């Protein structure tokens, strides 16, 4: 049977990227997805904004919702200082299997931990299961329909603290209108929009950065 899109992306990484070199994994994926086969990675343009938010924050505990092939886990993981950790949740087992290989190829298996399952099931268990108190940074990049429910759950589970930064992908394309309305109206958040483009295309998209005021 045919290979899947994530499997073809992984093959490009294994054929062309330097093992243990996150920068080369990122550039191989961006070149492959721009020139051969589009895939829903956050990409290089929005990725540059992601990098600047992470670098400025220098977080110790990071949560990513939606791993896909591991591109943004590598992008974030490569910027984390020693002792810092990224926990990334992925619902789709086929995506998770590819992402584990990509994260390992980048040499980030000690910084990035991939957990398979539904965010709604895992969020209430993160404290007791992984000994996490609160998150410094959260990247939302899974299902637009789940963004709002998941941040409300994170609030309920007291996994946010004063200053926690949430960054949401695709708030324009495909769009997360209920999430945007909530973070922009709620007194609990200070929110701003970073206009950009849908990965590897000219279509508009952007990232919403929201600081939890607690
Ligand atoms: C797949 C797709 N087609 C057309 C336009 C946008 C998308 C798209 C882009 C993304 O960055 C996504 N990130 C996380 N989850 C998604 O479902 C997703 C979908
Ligand atoms: Mg996305």
């Amino acid at each position: 049977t045919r290979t899947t899109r994530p499997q073809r992306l992984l093959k490009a990484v294994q054929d062309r990227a330097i093992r243990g070199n996150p920068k080369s994994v990122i550039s191989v994926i961006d070149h492959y997805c721009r020139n051969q086969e589009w895939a829903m990675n956050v990409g290089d343009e929005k990725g540059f904004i992601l990098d600047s938010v992470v670098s400025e924050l220098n977080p110790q505990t990071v949560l990513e919702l939606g791993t896909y092939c591991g591109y943004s886990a590598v992008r974030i993981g490569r910027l984390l200082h020693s002792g810092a950790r990224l926990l990334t949740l992925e619902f789709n087992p086929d995506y998770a299997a590819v992402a584990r290989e990509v994260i390992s190829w980048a040499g980030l298996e000690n910084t990035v931990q991939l957990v398979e399952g539904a965010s709604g099931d895992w969020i209430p268990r993160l404290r007791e299961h992984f000994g996490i108190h609160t998150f410094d940074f959260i990247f939302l990049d899974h299902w637009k329909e789940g963004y709002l429910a998941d941040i409300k759950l994170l609030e309920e589970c007291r996994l946010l603290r004063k200053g926690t930064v949430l960054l949401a992908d695709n708030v324009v394309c495909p769009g997360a209108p209920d999430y945007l309305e909530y973070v922009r109206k709620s007194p609990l958040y200070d929110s701003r929009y970073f206009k950009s483009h849908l990965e590897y295309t000219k279509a508009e998209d952007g990232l919403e950065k929201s600081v939890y005021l607690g």
Side-chain angles (χ1 to χ4, degrees):
T1 57
R2 268 175 56 78
T3 57
T4 65
R5 189 186 302 251
Q7 285 169 336
R8 293 190 291 272
L9 183 149
L10 172 58
K11 186 175 183 321
V13 167
Q14 293 168 332
D15 290 350
R16 308 177 193 177
I18 302 156
R19 255 190 188 284
N21 184 324
K23 196 163 174 281
S24 83
V25 168
I26 291 162
S27 58
V28 162
I29 292 173
D30 284 329
H31 186 274
Y32 176 77
C33 293
R34 186 175 293 282
N35 299 294
Q36 284 168 268
E37 185 173 26
W38 189 91
M40 61 178 175
N41 317 117
V42 72
D44 46 355
E45 191 181 317
K46 289 186 288 178
F48 184 78
I49 300 165
L50 171 62
D51 287 359
S52 58
V53 170
V54 172
S55 301
E56 185 190 344
L57 195 62
N58 185 18
Q60 286 297 309
T61 55
V62 182
L63 176 65
E64 175 180 67
L65 303 178
T67 318
Y68 188 47
C69 294
Y71 174 90
S72 48
V74 169
R75 257 206 111 105
I76 297 166
R78 88 188 196 282
L79 298 176
L80 299 185
H81 291 192
S82 80
R85 292 289 178 270
L86 162 62
L87 206 55
T88 181
L89 307 186
E90 178 51 59
F91 175 73
N92 181 309
D94 300 323
Y95 296 171
V98 164
R100 289 186 198 283
E101 294 302 318
V102 169
I103 290 160
S104 165
W105 197 271
L108 292 168
E109 60 278 0
N110 295 328
T111 303
V112 178
Q113 178 166 10
L114 192 155
V115 178
E116 273 183 61
S119 52
D121 296 341
W122 268 109
I123 288 169
R125 286 204 225 110
L126 294 177
R127 179 169 289 109
E128 44 135 350
H129 213 274
F130 297 100
I132 285 153
H133 185 52
T134 56
F135 288 106
D136 301 326
F137 178 64
I138 299 171
F139 184 49
L140 295 93
D141 191 23
H142 55 332
W143 279 321
K144 57 198 187 302
E145 302 86 351
Y147 283 16
L148 181 54
D150 281 350
I151 75 159
K152 286 186 172 175
L153 190 53
L154 286 160
E155 288 171 15
E156 249 175 68
C157 298
R158 305 179 65 71
L159 286 164
L160 308 181
R161 49 103 174 143
K162 278 184 184 24
T164 295
V165 170
L166 296 99
L167 191 67
D169 191 24
N170 311 118
V171 294
V172 165
C173 178
D178 58 344
Y179 174 81
L180 279 188
E181 186 189 10
Y182 179 74
V183 290
R184 290 175 177 173
K185 279 186 177 168
S186 167
L188 286 172
Y189 297 93
D190 180 27
S191 206
R192 67 160 283 193
Y193 175 63
F194 290 79
K195 186 174 183 196
S196 185
H197 295 94
L198 177 68
E199 49 269 23
Y200 319 117
T201 78
K202 291 185 165 48
E204 182 183 340
D205 188 23
L207 301 166
E208 187 79 1
K209 178 188 174 188
S210 308
V211 182
Y212 185 65
L213 304 174

